[in-house]
Amino acid sequence: MAQVLEFKLPDLGEGLTGAEIVRWLVEVGEVVAVDQPVVEVETAKAMVDVPCPYGGVVTARFGEEGAEVPVGAPLITVAVDGPADEDGPPAGERRSATDGSRADGSRAEDARAEGSGNVLVGYGTSAAPARRRRVRPGQPAPSAPVASPASVPSTANGRAATAAAVGVGRASGAPDRTAEAVDGPVPVISPLVRRLARQNGLDLREMVGSGPEGLILRADVEYALRAAGTQAGKVRTPVAEPHPRVPQAPAPARVREPSQAHAPAVGAPAAPEAVRIPLKGIRGVMADKLSRSRTEIPDATCWVDADATELMRARDAMRRFAEERPRSPAAGGTKISVLALLARICTAALARFPELNSSVDMAAREVVRHPAVHLGFAAQTERGLVVPVVRDAHTRNAESLTAEFARLTEAARTGTLTPADLTGGTFTLNNYGVFGVDGSTPIINHPEAAMLGVGRIVPKPWVHEGELAVRQVVQLSLTFDHRVCDGGTAGGFLRYVADCVEQPAVLLRTL
């Protein structure tokens, strides 16, 4: 007899709590091998192909493409050592990929399939047993689920929307949508909630709970019943009475439900509804990190205008030299970017002001000064804002920095950055001038201590050598953590950067 094993989303590392399903790589009924990738997921760090540690026939998939799945939630079930049953695995024979225990809590001593051992962080064949909900006798077992409601986060207004939909459907005699409901375990813990729904004929699979991770609460069921009763009263056809009724005292006014109190009049145009965009993936992680930065870091910003004419001339001179004398050993084969020149200036400035290449450990009440410069740079992609990190930037020259910036930018554009490419930064360079703006007060990338912002380089009137001239001017801004240094250190850093921008020959002193 085939044994059904359940494979859960493993811990993908770096403190991630979930992932979004991008693309399924297998279908239900397909035979998979040990360690074969079964699903492509997108975390807050990168795109990852998740391999399954079991070989056999896929009997069920949990989660549609685009759904958010928390760590530890089931991904697929696999029937090993035999064909899968057409109606899906029996509810009492499903096993977890992490503990080998059956769904009813008993141990499967006769397990014939072992995991591969080639696993990601946080899952294997020897982890602690996971609690499984017992399937009530007489309740049909879920057959070949495609998506589990428990694995999809619920919205804050899920109770009202689902209750209204269930109530209207049942009160108006609309076709039952049970057949269209998503199969899989129903996110309900309390037996009282199940009994209340069963006594009133509510299908819990049609509801989205307002509790944690979509848990259906008693209040959700009661709200659905009230909505069903209200809709039934609205659609009930009045029947003519054979005898006139005796006038009665008027009934006391009832407090209308919030959904009815603000309902538009019949025939009036419906007001546009607000659009809710979930904060998940990269955008969710950046929201958490930036909020934490604003909450924990007492930041301050200083800025200065600099004449970047000589810096741009130096870059053009390097380009012309490479074009005119391509065979020269000094020509090089890479066109130097402005970002690389600014990064080289940053590393030189951090060598003079190491206080800004640090972080704060409040638990130990210490300032941690980092020996190496791992330079992050802000990159805007279709998936949101990311900050790739150039490792050991202080050891690289302009050519090496240009090449690494190009590699990481392309990886960010295609969504192939690894978690290592996005973590471990000690200082960030933010070139927001590419958006056509001059200045900004950037938010520090927690847990770093400073960020240098660079505006656009544009022609402006400037006093040069005692005369008014049109020069290439840029605005530089430095946001720093006031716990690691005072304004004098921050001002000295920014002034050094501005001097190098105005006179690139200053860098020759540190070569």
Side-chain angles (χ1 to χ4, degrees):
M1 181 178 179
Q3 192 174 41
V4 178
L5 306 180
E6 185 180 78
F7 172 50
K8 300 178 180 180
L9 177 67
D11 180 3
L12 301 176
E14 297 292 336
L16 300 175
T17 58
E20 179 181 341
I21 297 176
V22 176
R23 181 168 58 96
W24 283 104
L25 305 178
V26 295
E27 300 289 342
V28 175
E30 183 176 340
V31 178
V32 296
V34 174
D35 291 336
Q36 176 181 337
V38 295
V39 64
E40 181 182 11
V41 300
E42 178 183 8
T43 70
K45 303 296 184 183
M47 306 278 282
V48 179
D49 288 342
V50 181
C52 178
Y54 300 112
V57 180
V58 178
T59 60
R61 298 188 321 192
F62 296 86
E64 296 287 353
E65 294 180 356
E68 187 82 11
V69 181
V71 171
L75 282 177
I76 63 171
T77 54
V78 180
V80 299
D81 293 338
D85 188 44
E86 293 182 357
D87 294 332
E93 295 189 4
R94 181 178 298 168
R95 293 207 318 158
S96 168
T98 59
D99 65 340
S101 61
R102 295 182 186 270
D104 61 359
S106 63
R107 298 291 300 176
E109 300 295 342
D110 58 345
R112 291 173 291 173
E114 295 294 337
S116 66
N118 182 20
V119 294
L120 300 176
V121 178
Y123 80 92
T125 55
S126 60
R131 261 183 60 181
R132 302 291 298 172
R133 178 174 56 81
R134 181 185 297 273
V135 178
R136 189 181 299 276
Q139 182 178 356
S143 58
V146 176
S148 172
S151 65
V152 182
S154 63
T155 61
N157 293 336
R159 180 194 306 172
T162 307
V166 173
V168 172
R170 296 190 178 278
S172 59
D176 190 3
R177 296 189 297 127
T178 304
E180 301 177 5
V182 179
D183 293 337
V186 179
V188 178
I189 295 178
S190 173
L192 297 177
V193 174
R194 292 183 177 276
R195 184 177 62 182
L196 181 62
R198 184 170 59 253
Q199 292 175 348
N200 292 274
L202 287 181
D203 189 351
L204 293 175
R205 290 176 298 178
E206 296 181 356
M207 299 184 63
V208 178
S210 61
E213 299 184 0
L215 183 67
I216 299 177
L217 307 177
R218 180 175 181 177
D220 299 325
V221 176
E222 292 175 345
Y223 193 91
L225 293 177
R226 288 198 303 269
T230 302
Q231 296 297 334
K234 288 183 178 181
V235 300
R236 184 178 295 115
T237 303
V239 180
E241 298 182 0
H243 302 288
R245 300 179 56 184
V246 179
Q248 299 178 355
R254 295 190 308 168
V255 178
R256 293 185 296 176
E257 297 291 341
S259 60
Q260 301 174 26
H262 301 284
V266 178
E273 297 182 357
V275 178
R276 292 180 175 267
I277 302 174
L279 284 174
K280 61 182 182 179
I282 289 181
R283 187 172 297 276
V285 170
M286 289 304 299
D288 294 337
K289 176 169 283 193
L290 296 178
S291 299
R292 183 178 181 183
S293 177
R294 278 299 191 198
T295 302
E296 296 184 6
I297 299 179
D299 56 351
T301 302
C302 54
W303 56 90
V304 65
D305 291 338
D307 181 3
T309 304
E310 296 301 326
L311 180 68
M312 302 304 293
R313 286 177 179 175
R315 176 174 176 267
D316 292 339
M318 287 185 284
R319 176 184 56 80
R320 287 196 305 269
F321 183 83
E323 293 175 354
E324 295 171 0
R325 302 176 63 179
R327 296 178 181 271
S328 172
T334 304
K335 183 179 178 181
I336 305 301
S337 66
V338 176
L339 186 63
L341 296 177
L342 293 171
R344 184 66 186 88
I345 294 174
C346 276
T347 57
L350 290 172
R352 286 176 173 262
F353 301 92
E355 297 90 340
L356 295 171
N357 191 49
S358 60
S359 57
V360 178
D361 185 354
M362 288 303 296
R365 300 192 67 82
E366 296 175 342
V367 174
V368 182
R369 194 170 292 179
H370 305 292
V373 178
H374 301 314
L375 186 66
F377 67 99
Q380 190 70 36
T381 68
E382 294 181 356
R383 300 169 60 225
L385 177 66
V386 294
V387 185
V389 177
V390 177
R391 302 285 172 182
D392 299 316
H394 62 292
T395 64
R396 299 175 180 267
N397 55 28
E399 286 187 353
S400 176
L401 289 169
T402 297
E404 187 66 1
F405 281 139
R407 183 188 72 82
L408 292 173
T409 300
E410 178 62 20
R413 186 186 65 82
T414 58
T416 57
L417 288 170
T418 64
D421 293 330
L422 293 166
T423 55
T426 61
F427 186 90
T428 297
L429 176 61
N430 187 359
N431 181 21
Y432 45 75
V434 296
F435 301 116
V437 297
D438 295 326
S440 175
T441 55
I443 300 176
I444 297 175
N445 187 24
H446 186 279
E448 299 170 10
M451 175 186 291
L452 178 68
V454 182
R456 60 175 180 167
I457 302 176
V458 293
K460 287 185 178 181
W462 190 267
V463 177
H464 177 66
E465 297 180 352
E467 296 182 357
L468 187 63
V470 177
R471 307 284 287 181
Q472 301 291 323
V473 180
V474 61
Q475 185 178 99
L476 307 172
S477 61
L478 175 69
T479 299
F480 63 98
D481 188 342
H482 230 310
R483 296 173 298 179
V484 303
C485 68
D486 297 327
T489 301
F493 174 91
L494 189 58
R495 187 64 257 173
Y496 180 84
V497 171
D499 291 342
C500 291
V501 168
E502 294 182 344
Q503 296 293 335
V506 174
L507 288 175
L508 294 176
R509 299 174 60 91
T510 60
L511 294 181

